[in-house]
């Protein structure tokens, strides 16, 4: 039997570099992996791709398919690259060395380079460059690769299980010390928790479970906040060309773009980053500097829904249709404010209308995407925490919603650190 071919590289849940599809899922909950993108390409009639069944695509990305099926998929990928003028990109983002098992770094580099190329296709004059962002990803990927290789080697050593774990713990501590902003106490307790959680026969105490949950969240916060702070520092270098209002210039220069959108609890209610974002837009893009626009006015910047999507009766007048369309716009804006990921074409049209001829749309688009991802992420984490606490109420001694939100809201520390490093 012919050997199966895997189109995608398997993700690992190790949070030092989380799976890239986790982030994609916060932007678009319908996109669950490479197979989703492949299927969406096939649905584009303009590309005229050879159809491959959705399940075959999923199997190709997870378990592998026959060389014949793999050849069909690869042919489609190359056809898309040619039609989208991305053939050159496909050649230079192909990994030059073997991908280390249990790492996500290579996929992050490929994904980010592809995303940047896609952005630059719509930037005919000034091509966007992100040196600090890519430097961070490259260093993190190199550290992840070295850490995982060390752990693989430790497992193969002809020595006691305890000695293997000691070597792995030391490697984890070193990676955390040099590449994260965790403090010394956190590094010690989190590295110990990771080793204890993997120790055969280790009793899963409440304290150990709490520490394991903390390290999973803290490492992902560290990665995403460093990534975002690096990106925003790159934006600082081109802030004049971004053409943003004074409110957003202040947000970028003094708050890393996103500091003012931290989630917080108002009683039992979570005030989300998306809620705070659209609140910020009210003042930033108001024609009257003394009076913020209303959400009703803001909703008029959303593209008008098609008549077929507008709920009106058969005898509706043009005024009825107009009013119903505006009501649909208001409902859609309300959904976006509560964290529903906007469809990209609707979001672009909205931001371009909101910013008008006076301002550029690029940074507002980035802030909107980030706030949407943040909202979906923190709501997901709070829901998971609530479930854990219901199953084991004793966890509340070690972990609660306040801790989670405080850890998430550490972005200002990351912004200050990355900005300072860039100006050395």
């Amino acid at each position: 039997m012919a050997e199966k071919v895997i189109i995608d590289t398997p993700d690992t849940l190790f949070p030092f570099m989380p799976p890239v599809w986790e982030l994609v899922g916060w932007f678009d909950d319908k996109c669950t992996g490479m197979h989703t993108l492949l299927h969406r390409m096939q649905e584009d009639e303009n590309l005229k791709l050879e159809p491959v069944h959705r399940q075959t695509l999923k199997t190709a990305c997870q378990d592998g398919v026959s060389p014949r099926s793999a050849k069909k998929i690869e042919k489609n990928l190359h056809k898309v690259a040619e039609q989208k003028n991305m053939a050159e990109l496909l050649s230079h983002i192909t990994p030059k060395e073997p991908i280390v098992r249990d790492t996500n770094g290579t996929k992050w580099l490929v994904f980010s380079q592809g995303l940047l190329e896609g952005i630059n296709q719509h930037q005919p004059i000034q091509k966007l460059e992100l040196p600090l962002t890519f430097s961070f990803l490259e260093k993190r990927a190199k550290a992840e690769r070295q850490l995982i290789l060390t752990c693989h080697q430790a497992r193969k050593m002809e020595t006691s299980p305890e000695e293997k774990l000691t070597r792995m713990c030391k490697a984890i501590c070193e990676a955390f010390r040099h590449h994260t902003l965790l403090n010394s106490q956190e590094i010690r307790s989190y590295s110990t928790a990771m080793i204890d959680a993997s120790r055969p026969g280790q009793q899963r105490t409440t304290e150990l479970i709490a520490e394991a949950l903390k390290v999973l969240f803290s490492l992902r916060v560290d990665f995403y906040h460093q990534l975002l702070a690096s990106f925003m520092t790159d934006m600082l270098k081109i802030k004049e060309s971004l053409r943003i209002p004074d409110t957003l210039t202040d947000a970028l220069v003094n708050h890393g773009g996103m500091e003012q959108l931290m989630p917080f609890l108002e009683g039992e209610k979570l005030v989300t980053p998306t809620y705070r974002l659209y609140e910020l837009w009210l003042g930033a893009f108001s024609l009257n500097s003394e009076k913020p626009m209303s959400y009703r006015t803001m909703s008029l910047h959303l593209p008008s829904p098609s008549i077929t999507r507008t709920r009106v009766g058969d005898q509706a007048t043009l005024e009825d249709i107009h009013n119903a369309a505006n009501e649909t716009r208001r409902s859609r804006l309300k959904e976006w404010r509560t964290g529903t990921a906007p469809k990209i074409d609707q979001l672009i049209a909205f931001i371009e209308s909101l910013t008008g001829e006076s301002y550029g749309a690029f940074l507002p688009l980035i802030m909107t995407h980030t706030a949407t991802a943040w909202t979906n992420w923190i709501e997901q984490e709070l829901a998971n925490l609530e479930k854990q606490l219901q199953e084991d109420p004793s966890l509340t001694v070690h972990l609660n919603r306040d801790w989670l939100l405080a850890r998430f809201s550490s972005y200002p520390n990351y912004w200050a650190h990355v900005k300072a490093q860039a100006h050395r």
Side-chain angles (χ1 to χ4, degrees):
M1 181 181 289
E3 185 176 349
K4 290 185 176 181
V5 179
I6 298 179
I7 299 297
D8 196 13
T9 54
D11 290 328
T12 174
L13 296 178
F14 184 50
F16 187 69
M17 287 194 85
V20 69
W21 293 110
E22 175 181 71
L23 178 62
V24 174
W26 293 330
F27 293 134
D28 180 355
D29 60 4
K30 303 275 192 309
C31 191
T32 55
M34 174 65 78
H35 62 281
T36 309
L37 294 183
L38 294 172
H39 189 263
R40 287 180 180 178
M41 290 176 189
Q42 288 183 180
E43 290 182 321
D44 187 340
E45 295 178 359
N46 295 324
L47 295 174
K48 296 181 172 57
L49 302 180
E50 186 174 357
V52 180
H53 193 274
R54 183 193 289 265
Q55 185 56 48
T56 302
L57 293 173
K58 189 172 184 178
T59 303
C61 293
Q62 295 178 351
D63 304 314
V65 290
S66 68
R68 181 182 175 188
S69 294
K71 193 171 183 179
K72 279 186 187 180
I73 298 169
E74 289 171 355
K75 184 179 177 182
N76 282 345
L77 279 171
H78 284 282
K79 189 173 182 179
V80 171
E82 289 173 6
Q83 293 191 41
K84 299 287 187 180
N85 297 319
M86 296 176 71
E88 183 180 349
L89 170 70
L90 197 63
S91 66
H92 75 249
I93 66 173
T94 302
K96 301 297 188 293
E97 55 185 15
I99 298 173
V100 174
R101 179 171 52 87
D102 300 328
T103 63
N104 293 322
T106 300
K107 190 178 288 189
W108 267 102
L109 289 168
V110 170
F111 172 82
S112 54
Q113 288 167 343
L115 183 62
L116 180 61
E117 180 68 21
I119 291 172
N120 278 335
Q121 283 190 337
H122 301 284
Q123 304 284 334
I125 300 176
Q126 180 181 356
K127 298 299 182 185
L128 184 65
E129 296 181 356
L130 304 172
L132 291 174
T133 305
F134 280 96
S135 176
F136 164 70
L137 286 171
E138 287 162 2
K139 288 177 182 177
R140 191 83 161 208
K142 184 178 180 181
E144 180 202 42
R145 179 186 176 89
Q146 185 57 53
L147 172 57
I148 298 301
L149 281 174
T150 301
C151 290
H152 287 336
Q153 292 164 0
R155 290 189 185 98
K156 295 176 182 177
M157 290 173 56
E158 293 185 1
T159 186
S160 67
E162 203 57 39
E163 175 62 23
K164 293 178 182 180
L165 291 174
T166 298
R167 286 178 179 262
M168 290 166 64
C169 188
K170 182 180 179 182
I172 291 170
C173 283
E174 286 300 301
F176 289 2
R177 184 174 295 112
H178 292 294
H179 297 281
T180 75
L181 298 192
L182 300 178
N183 62 43
S184 298
Q185 182 181 347
E186 290 169 332
I187 289 172
R188 286 194 299 272
S189 60
Y190 289 168
S191 58
T192 301
M194 292 183 73
I195 293 299
D196 286 345
S198 63
R199 181 178 276 111
Q202 176 72 32
Q203 183 182 358
R204 294 178 61 81
T205 63
T206 298
E207 186 174 359
L208 176 58
I209 293 171
E211 287 300 302
L213 291 172
K214 284 182 177 181
V215 69
L216 289 173
F217 185 61
S218 295
L219 279 176
R220 285 157 64 229
V221 165
D222 182 90
F223 173 79
Y224 289 122
H225 282 2
Q226 283 204 59
L227 176 62
L228 179 62
S230 298
F231 178 86
M232 289 298 180
T233 306
D234 280 327
M235 292 298 97
L236 272 183
K237 299 177 182 179
I238 59 170
K239 69 176 186 296
E240 300 304 325
S241 65
L242 293 173
R243 294 173 47 238
I244 50 178
D246 292 344
T247 303
L248 297 194
T249 299
D250 175 69
L252 175 61
V253 174
N254 298 315
H255 306 284
M258 303 298 294
E259 181 181 333
Q260 295 151 303
L261 308 185
M262 294 295 115
F264 64 89
L265 290 173
E266 199 171 66
E268 290 297 311
K269 180 185 175 184
L270 176 69
V271 179
T272 65
T274 48
Y275 181 89
R276 300 193 69 186
L277 174 83
Y278 292 104
E279 199 171 45
L280 180 66
W281 285 171
L282 293 177
F285 297 110
S286 177
L287 295 177
N288 184 343
S289 60
E290 300 296 323
K291 183 180 179 183
M293 75 171 77
S294 66
Y295 283 121
R296 180 180 290 270
T297 300
M298 179 183 283
S299 69
L300 297 178
H301 290 282
L302 271 75
S304 184
S306 63
I307 293 178
T308 56
R309 303 276 298 182
T310 304
R311 296 180 179 179
V312 291
D314 294 337
Q315 305 300 316
T317 65
L318 287 176
E319 184 179 359
D320 292 334
I321 294 172
H322 176 75
N323 291 337
N326 285 343
E327 186 59 39
T328 299
R329 285 166 155 170
R330 286 193 289 272
S331 297
R332 184 167 291 157
L333 178 60
K334 186 175 181 180
E335 290 174 356
W336 291 1
R337 289 169 58 205
T338 56
T340 298
K343 291 183 178 179
I344 187 62
D345 57 333
Q346 293 177 0
L347 179 60
I348 290 173
F350 166 69
I351 294 291
E352 288 181 344
S353 174
L354 188 66
T355 54
E357 295 182 0
S358 301
Y359 302 115
F362 182 70
L363 187 64
L365 272 170
I366 295 298
M367 292 176 71
T368 306
H369 281 308
T370 304
T372 301
W374 270 6
T375 294
N376 291 329
W377 177 16
I378 198 65
E379 287 185 336
Q380 184 184 92
E381 293 291 346
L382 288 171
N384 290 340
L385 176 62
E386 187 64 30
K387 183 180 177 183
Q388 292 276 352
L389 295 179
Q390 286 178 356
E391 293 174 355
D392 185 359
S394 61
L395 277 173
T396 54
V397 176
H398 308 280
L399 193 57
N400 55 40
R401 290 167 47 148
D402 289 336
W403 180 89
L404 204 72
L405 287 170
R407 168 60 72 183
F408 187 91
S409 296
S410 61
Y411 175 69
N413 300 334
Y414 285 87
W415 167 247
H417 174 80
V418 174
K419 185 180 178 182
Q421 292 287 106
H423 286 90
R424 282 187 176 181

